[in-house]
Amino acid sequence: MTGNPVEAINLRRLFGDFIAVDNINLSVRQGEVFGFLGPNGAGKTTTVKMLCGLLLPSSGSATVAGFDIATQPDDVKRSIGYMSQKFSLYSDLTVSENIDFFGNIYGIANSRLTSRKREIIRLTGLEGRENTITSALSVGWKQRLALGCSVIHEPKILFLDEPTAGVDPDSRRMFWDLIYNLAQKGMTMFVTTHYMDEAENCTRLGFIYNGKMVASGTPLEIKRTRMKGTIIELDTDAPSEALGILRDMPVTNEVSFFGRLIHAVTMAAPEAVPRTVDSITLSLKQHGIPVNRITTIPPSLEDIFISLIQQEDSREPS
Amino acid sequence: MTSWQLFLLRVKAIARKEFIQLRRDPRMLFIAFMAPIIQLTLFGYAATLDVKSVPVVVCDMDQSMQSRAVLNAVTSSGYFDIESRVPSVRDVRRSIDDGDAMVGIVIPDGLERDINAGKKAHIQTIIDGSNAIYATMVRSYLERIITNRALDLSAVEMSRNGYKPYTPLDIQQRVWYNPTLKSRDFMVPGVFALVLMIISTVLTSMAIVKEKERGTIEQLIVTPIKPLELIAGKLLPFAIISLIDITLVTMVAVFWFRIPLHGSFALLFLLSALFMLTTLGLGLLISTVSRTQQQAMMISLLLIMPIILLSGVMSPIENMPIGVQYFTLLIPLRYFIVIVRSIFMKGSGMSILWPDALALAAFGIVLFLLSVSRFNKRIG
């Protein structure tokens, strides 16, 4: 196979007048964990559906595993695995029966299925649960089984659509171990998520917003290149009042809550940042707002994400 | 692996999954195997049009030997039971209004006197006509009994006057295929056809819609499975269940209701299978327009009602307006009803049934292909 496992050029999809996906360019490299990020309704699912050969693009083109998604959807489907955010295995079948079923559907004859099933059970850690009815499994185990079923045919690329939505943190970590495990064996992972901590763990990222790709690259690249300005983190006991005051100050733009803390972005030159911090502290003190802690911090992906969305929103006149 | 081997592997996988799911779903299991038997049994008892033990209210103002003789003729026929005797015509009316009686017989004062005087005597009968079909039958039974009594009286009168009584016209009636005119022998084969249609249509549509409802279809359509493989795998179990149902329902008809099966069971089985092409197709079609199992159920009911009414199972097609009669030609059940009744009652074979079988095959293939192509588009 030559070229990247996923390659999209000017991929576009309309639903009536609505542009769900707007000229997206994408390339995912062999064996990497590609994180596809964006808020709900940004066009993530539509893009994934096109790449899986379920939806035709309105214009543009893409190849997945070297096959054209528009003209060779069957070859695409044979080469990929797909795991949806909604559990979509048969809950009234046992673990083993689900694996058998999807194995057969992917054309694995029973002679080979036995050994393949054993590998899947070992990979997902489902030993001893083979004869459990799937509905009796916890959410975390169900997701592992779903992943197991979607790689039964050893696909070159695995698409995971918000695989850990609603899963407890422990199970999420175990699940990501599984993802890395498969990636190390050379399987390319295409993961959509809105958990930022998960995004930090991806090899490379793509940010999609309003159907457009607004940033892409490794997490480090994105942090280095896409963050304009410096982030000042503020810890105060009166965050709401502080937020209002900071928003009125000319030295700060993009002021937002970050959990219980406040993040303010300043466009001041690096050498002028300490002075800005001082002026903020002073201003807050004048208003009688106690400052527990104020400091500059390296941007997190969430900061960048919010910043990119705000930039995008201010650019659109509509 | 050749594509044919792949096809078989996938169809088998889906069919096996379907059977496993059915085995674990007591509700579906009940619908598949118990419902047909219960339905046929209930309908078999309920759907009879036989005149039997019709409640009669009598107002006998004559209280004579002649009036008793008439009433005796009515009750001894076995079709009528005298429920009450009342003194006035008003009471007769109330009895029928209340639904206590279906027939009122009013014998005026002077019946015996008139008969003995050789004059024409009068008897009034009142029939509750709210069920027109039944009332018509009751009327003709009642008419026949009383007319026979009148003929007897006239015979007596003639011989008294020295004439040899004779009837100028003698009817030699023979009823073929159902000599005792038991309506059950006619209705049960009809219900047999209905039960098969309902079960196979509803089960098929539900089984496919269930995948949509639970979201499992999503995982299927990202696999390289072809729509035809999915359909074949889905329909195979329900075709097999329907064939088992045919056997069960035939057994109930023959061994429980003692409906004589004059024709060949093999032919009945074969043509039922042919009919099922249309019902499985219909079920598939319903599944493409419904999103939930409730919707599928509702649409099935909405379609099945008119199909039953227009199929001729309840009332003869010949009695429908001519436009409607033509329309019934589009209803596959119509042909199947003819086939089932003919095989059961007349013992007909292919030499007679081939036009109906041909129509059924044509409808089956067209409807089936139509639903498959529509299903393809929906899923692809």
Side-chain angles (χ1 to χ4, degrees):
Chain A
M1 196 178 68
T2 56
N4 289 323
V6 180
E7 197 76 60
I9 299 155
N10 290 330
L11 204 58
R12 194 163 203 258
R13 172 72 203 202
L14 310 172
F15 292 107
D17 288 339
F18 176 67
I19 306 170
V21 173
D22 193 2
N23 289 321
I24 275 189
N25 289 294
L26 247 180
S27 48
V28 179
R29 290 166 208 156
Q30 167 77 38
E32 73 180 7
V33 179
F34 181 81
F36 195 43
L37 312 178
N40 288 333
K44 279 182 306 201
T45 303
T46 308
T47 308
V48 170
K49 276 191 173 164
M50 284 194 280
L51 294 178
C52 291
L54 302 181
L55 200 63
L56 280 175
S58 303
S59 63
S61 64
T63 58
V64 170
F67 299 111
D68 188 289
I69 56 162
T71 58
Q72 302 164 290
D74 282 345
D75 295 308
V76 169
K77 286 178 179 178
R78 230 187 308 277
S79 327
I80 62 163
Y82 172 82
M83 187 189 149
S84 79
Q85 77 186 94
K86 201 173 142 215
F87 181 72
S88 50
L89 301 185
Y90 297 95
S91 50
D92 43 0
L93 259 53
T94 65
V95 167
S96 168
E97 285 163 350
N98 263 307
I99 298 175
D100 286 342
F101 175 74
F102 284 102
N104 282 163
I105 294 298
Y106 277 110
I108 303 172
N110 293 335
S111 50
R112 216 185 106 225
L113 192 58
T114 319
S115 65
R116 187 67 195 133
K117 178 157 77 180
R118 211 175 305 126
E119 285 167 38
I120 293 292
I121 297 273
R122 198 182 312 121
L123 176 81
T124 52
L126 280 160
E127 291 107 333
R129 290 184 166 84
E130 290 89 340
N131 295 319
T132 308
I133 296 279
T134 308
S135 60
L137 295 176
S138 71
V139 180
W141 284 113
K142 277 184 189 168
Q143 293 302 83
R144 293 167 76 83
L145 175 62
L147 184 102
C149 286
S150 60
V151 298
I152 181 93
H153 56 305
E154 298 170 272
K156 298 196 175 74
I157 305 145
L158 180 61
F159 287 89
L160 301 118
D161 191 7
E162 310 240 350
T164 54
V167 177
D168 66 86
D170 249 11
S171 304
R172 264 174 65 193
R173 198 163 315 116
M174 278 166 75
F175 193 84
W176 272 88
D177 287 344
L178 210 53
I179 292 179
Y180 290 128
N181 190 342
L182 289 168
Q184 260 163 19
K185 290 178 183 157
M187 197 182 287
T188 307
M189 298 285 162
F190 190 109
V191 192
T192 78
T193 179
H194 55 231
Y195 289 116
M196 288 305 147
D197 55 331
E198 291 182 358
E200 302 264 6
N201 296 330
C202 292
T203 324
R204 280 189 330 117
L205 297 173
F207 272 137
I208 184 172
Y209 184 62
N210 280 346
K212 289 194 190 69
M213 193 72 111
V214 291
S216 62
T218 67
L220 211 65
E221 274 169 10
I222 289 178
K223 283 180 194 171
R224 246 199 330 256
T225 60
R226 300 310 300 259
M227 192 69 212
K228 300 192 177 69
T230 310
I231 295 171
I232 298 166
E233 188 175 78
L234 172 70
D235 181 0
T236 168
D237 294 333
S240 317
E241 291 88 339
L243 188 83
I245 292 161
L246 286 177
R247 283 206 166 139
D248 289 339
M249 290 181 71
V251 287
T252 54
N253 23 15
E254 293 171 30
V255 184
S256 54
F257 284 121
F258 197 89
R260 274 179 47 255
L261 308 170
I262 291 173
H263 281 189
V265 179
T266 174
M267 292 301 170
E271 59 276 13
V273 169
R275 221 177 324 124
T276 312
V277 171
D278 289 344
S279 71
I280 291 172
T281 315
L282 191 69
S283 176
L284 287 172
K285 274 185 178 152
Q286 279 167 356
H287 284 87
I289 295 168
V291 176
N292 300 338
R293 186 170 55 83
I294 184 162
T295 169
T296 60
I297 54 155
S300 71
L301 277 171
E302 189 161 355
D303 291 315
I304 295 165
F305 202 15
I306 291 168
S307 163
L308 284 169
I309 285 175
Q310 283 172 348
Q311 285 170 33
E312 196 64 31
D313 282 346
S314 59
R315 195 182 305 157
E316 299 251 327
S318 61
Chain B
M1 194 179 289
T2 66
S3 63
W4 174 242
Q5 280 173 318
L6 196 59
F7 177 84
L8 283 183
L9 184 69
R10 285 180 179 150
V11 170
K12 250 165 52 190
I14 297 215
R16 189 188 314 125
K17 171 198 78 92
E18 219 60 47
F19 275 123
I20 294 174
Q21 287 182 308
L22 189 73
R23 206 176 61 209
R24 296 195 180 135
D25 187 348
R27 202 180 49 136
M28 285 288 258
L29 217 52
F30 182 85
I31 295 180
F33 296 112
M34 285 313 289
I37 293 177
I38 293 175
Q39 277 178 334
L40 186 69
T41 312
L42 286 179
F43 284 133
Y45 280 115
T48 73
L49 289 171
D50 292 337
V51 175
K52 215 176 136 195
S53 307
V54 178
V56 178
V57 55
V58 171
C59 172
D60 181 1
M61 292 186 272
D62 201 42
Q63 297 284 358
S64 62
M65 206 194 79
Q66 287 294 353
S67 70
R68 275 191 293 278
V70 171
L71 294 175
N72 230 342
V74 171
T75 50
S76 65
S77 68
Y79 301 123
F80 298 93
D81 287 344
I82 294 179
E83 202 65 23
S84 59
R85 292 170 188 273
V86 294
S88 73
V89 180
R90 236 196 15 242
D91 296 323
V92 171
R93 183 190 189 106
R94 189 179 315 128
S95 237
I96 293 176
D97 277 350
D98 291 351
D100 295 337
M102 196 193 159
V103 170
I105 299 177
V106 180
I107 302 173
D109 196 11
L111 180 92
E112 190 169 52
R113 190 190 59 220
D114 287 349
I115 290 172
N116 290 343
K119 285 202 282 182
K120 195 181 248 184
H122 297 277
I123 290 180
Q124 186 186 28
T125 61
I126 303 161
I127 299 168
D128 174 358
S130 44
N131 181 340
I133 299 170
Y134 198 54
T136 311
M137 291 169 63
V138 166
R139 184 175 66 182
S140 71
Y141 277 60
L142 202 55
E143 219 170 75
R144 182 136 39 105
I145 293 165
I146 296 176
T147 309
N148 278 342
R149 177 66 195 152
L151 286 173
D152 286 352
L153 283 173
S154 85
V156 170
E157 180 69 14
M158 281 164 87
S159 59
R160 200 161 50 195
N161 293 341
Y163 296 103
K164 194 169 175 264
Y166 85 108
T167 326
L169 269 178
D170 176 43
I171 313 169
Q172 291 286 320
Q173 270 189 344
R174 294 282 180 281
V175 178
W176 280 11
Y177 309 128
N178 188 357
T180 49
L181 278 178
K182 269 192 286 188
S183 65
R184 185 180 287 158
D185 287 5
F186 169 75
M187 289 310 284
V188 167
V191 173
F192 170 100
L194 296 189
V195 166
L196 271 189
M197 178 182 72
I198 295 171
I199 295 299
S200 55
T201 307
V202 169
L203 276 182
T204 307
S205 62
M206 298 262 273
I208 296 173
V209 172
K210 195 164 77 179
E211 300 248 358
K212 281 200 224 175
E213 205 176 72
R214 299 194 182 166
T216 48
I217 197 111
E218 222 191 302
Q219 196 65 49
L220 273 182
I221 57 180
V222 291
T223 70
I225 191 167
K226 297 198 174 53
L228 193 66
E229 295 164 341
L230 179 56
I231 292 171
K234 273 277 177 187
L235 293 190
L236 193 67
F238 297 104
I240 292 173
I241 290 167
S242 302
L243 292 177
I244 294 172
D245 282 344
I246 292 173
T247 317
L248 286 176
V249 168
T250 310
M251 274 162 59
V252 172
V254 172
F255 295 116
W256 182 255
F257 287 115
R258 303 274 161 199
I259 310 291
L261 174 59
H262 288 122
S264 110
F265 175 68
L267 185 65
L268 182 68
F269 193 81
L270 208 75
L271 293 180
S272 299
L274 195 61
F275 173 62
M276 245 137 51
L277 266 187
T278 68
T279 58
L280 296 177
L282 187 65
L284 201 60
L285 209 58
I286 292 170
S287 75
T288 62
V289 293
S290 336
R291 246 174 297 125
T292 64
Q293 293 189 74
Q294 269 116 323
Q295 274 180 8
M297 204 65 171
M298 286 301 291
I299 295 171
S300 303
L301 276 177
L302 283 177
L303 284 175
I304 285 172
M305 282 306 280
I307 287 176
I308 290 176
L309 291 176
L310 292 173
S311 67
V313 70
M314 297 297 177
S315 54
I317 289 173
E318 293 76 27
N319 292 3
M320 297 175 188
I322 191 80
V324 177
Q325 285 194 33
Y326 281 119
F327 186 73
T328 63
L329 293 174
L330 296 174
I331 293 184
L333 181 62
R334 176 209 154 118
Y335 306 99
F336 188 53
I337 295 277
V338 171
I339 288 172
V340 176
R341 280 184 174 154
S342 304
I343 293 179
F344 262 101
M345 303 180 69
K346 299 188 193 172
S348 310
M350 249 343 225
S351 57
I352 289 173
L353 294 176
W354 68 267
D356 295 289
L358 203 66
L360 215 51
F363 271 109
I365 291 167
V366 169
L367 191 64
F368 192 75
L369 290 181
L370 209 77
S371 351
V372 168
S373 80
R374 202 183 140 77
F375 188 78
N376 275 350
K377 262 185 222 135
R378 277 301 166 113
I379 219 126

